[in-house]
Amino acid sequence: MSSPDIVGILENTKELDRLRKEQEEVLVEINKMHKKLQASPEIVEKPGDISLAKLKNLYIQAKELSENEVTVSNILLTQLDLLLPYGPTGQQRRKLGVAEGNDQKRKRMKVDSDVIRLSPSMRNQIEAYASLKGEQVAARVTAESAEKDEWFVVKVIHFDRETKEVEVLDEEPGDDEEGSGQRTYKLPMSCILPFPKRNDPSNTQEFSTGKHVLAVYPGTTALYKATVVSTPRKRKSDEYLLEFDDDEENGALPQRTVPFHKVVALPEGHRQ
C-alpha cells in the first residue's frame, strides 16, 4: 500500500483549522446571546423578538461545525495511520539515497495534488453534487440566521470542489426581487436538495401518508412544507396529493397534486 498523499494531509489540516476558527466565531456569538438574555430575559416575551430563534440557529451551526471537525479529524487519523506503518523510521529516512529520494518524489507526483483524500461516503457525496450541473434542484437561499427558510427551484451551473459550494441560477425570480433579471447564488452543499429523477420513479423514495415533506407549490417555483394525503402508488399516478401548511381556504386546507419529482424530504429544523 502506498503512503497517503502528503498534499491531502496538509489540505485537511487547513480545513481543520478553518472549522475551528469558525467554531470560535460561532461560540463568541453564542456567548453574546447568553449575556443578552441573562441581562434582559424579558426580551423574549416581546412581540416579534427572535432572540431564541437566533440562539437555536447558532447552536445548529455549532453542531454542524463540530460534526465536520470530527469527520475531517477521522480522515486525518486514517491518513496518518496509513503513513506511519509503511513509512521509514527517522534513522532510515536519513539514509535514503538520492536515487531513492527522487523515486519517492516521482511517486508523489503521480497523485493529483488537487484531490483531497476523503472518506468514501464524503467522496461519493461530492461526486453526486458535481454531477448536478445543468439540473434543477431545491435551494435554500436564506441565511442560517433568517427567521424563515425560503426554498426555490434553481438550476445548478457550477460546483466548486475546493470550497464545496454550489453556484445556482434562479431563472424565475419573484416580482418582489430586486431587479428583474435572473439571479445567482453560491451556497453550501447543506442548502441544496436534489430532486428525484423524473424518468426513474421506481427507484425514488416514496413518502408515506401523513409524512411532512417539502414540495413545489403548484404554479410557482417556491417550495413549502406540506403533508402527504395520498401517495403516487395509491393514486396509481406519478403525483402526490398534498396539503400545504398555511394554505387555508374557507376554513380548510385544499388538497393539491404535485409531481413526485418535485417533492423532497423536509429538512430538519425547517422554519416557515
Side-chain angles (χ1 to χ4, degrees), residues 81-121:
D81 284 342
L82 291 172
L83 179 65
L84 292 174
Y86 300 99
T89 63
Q91 185 65 27
Q92 289 173 320
R93 287 196 186 97
R94 286 193 289 272
K95 293 181 180 178
L96 283 175
V98 174
E100 189 175 354
N102 289 337
D103 184 58
Q104 293 292 332
K105 290 179 182 178
R106 283 194 294 271
K107 286 181 180 179
R108 286 197 295 270
M109 288 173 65
K110 291 180 182 178
V111 182
D112 185 357
S113 62
D114 294 330
V115 177
I116 301 174
R117 289 186 178 272
L118 303 169
S119 65
S121 60

Side-chain angles (χ1 to χ4, degrees), residues 34-257:
H34 284 173
K35 290 179 180 178
K36 177 182 176 181
L37 294 174
Q38 287 172 356
S40 305
E42 70 280 358
I43 195 173
V44 299
E45 297 177 2
K46 293 182 179 179
D49 181 78
I50 58 171
S51 298
L52 294 180
K54 285 185 177 181
L55 185 60
K56 179 182 177 181
N57 291 334
L58 287 169
Y59 273 116
I60 291 173
Q61 191 176 354
K63 179 175 177 287
E64 290 176 349
L65 288 169
S66 179
E67 289 171 347
N68 290 340
E69 181 185 356
V70 171
T71 299
V72 176
S73 296
N74 286 336
I75 294 170
L76 279 167
L77 286 172
T78 301
Q79 290 175 320
L80 292 171
D81 284 342
L82 291 172
L83 179 65
L84 292 174
Y86 300 99
T89 63
Q91 185 65 27
Q92 289 173 320
R93 287 196 186 97
R94 286 193 289 272
K95 293 181 180 178
L96 283 175
V98 174
E100 189 175 354
N102 289 337
D103 184 58
Q104 293 292 332
K105 290 179 182 178
R106 283 194 294 271
K107 286 181 180 179
R108 286 197 295 270
M109 288 173 65
K110 291 180 182 178
V111 182
D112 185 357
S113 62
D114 294 330
V115 177
I116 301 174
R117 289 186 178 272
L118 303 169
S119 65
S121 60
M122 186 177 292
R123 191 160 54 242
N124 290 340
Q125 187 179 16
I126 288 175
E127 290 303 323
Y129 276 81
S131 68
L132 292 173
K133 185 176 180 180
E135 294 191 18
Q136 287 190 331
V137 297
R140 192 191 76 209
V141 299
T142 45
E144 288 285 352
S145 58
E147 187 176 354
K148 294 182 179 180
D149 293 335
E150 293 183 5
W151 289 83
F152 297 115
V153 178
V154 297
K155 182 179 179 180
V156 176
I157 55 179
H158 179 66
F159 175 67
D160 192 319
R161 292 174 180 268
E162 290 187 7
T163 63
K164 298 179 180 59
E165 286 184 327
V166 186
E167 187 174 358
V168 299
L169 174 67
D170 185 356
E171 299 177 284
E172 299 181 29
D175 296 334
D176 56 347
E177 296 281 346
E178 292 184 8
S180 58
Q182 298 176 333
R183 184 174 179 180
T184 59
Y185 299 89
K186 286 187 178 180
L187 304 169
M189 293 165 60
S190 59
C191 289
I192 301 295
L193 291 177
F195 285 120
K197 299 293 184 184
R198 183 197 298 256
N199 58 357
D200 193 14
S202 61
N203 289 325
T204 299
Q205 175 189 3
E206 184 170 274
F207 301 105
S208 59
T209 301
K211 186 78 172 177
H212 295 309
V213 295
L214 196 65
V216 178
Y217 190 85
T220 76
T221 58
L223 291 90
Y224 299 97
K225 181 182 177 183
T227 303
V228 176
V229 176
S230 186
T231 66
R233 187 177 303 171
K234 288 182 180 179
R235 292 168 50 80
K236 296 182 179 179
S237 72
D238 62 354
E239 295 178 322
Y240 281 94
L241 191 61
L242 304 175
E243 288 181 349
F244 285 88
D245 286 17
D246 306 322
D247 188 30
E248 189 173 324
E249 287 184 2
N250 299 322
L253 290 177
Q255 297 179 350
R256 305 186 186 277
T257 56

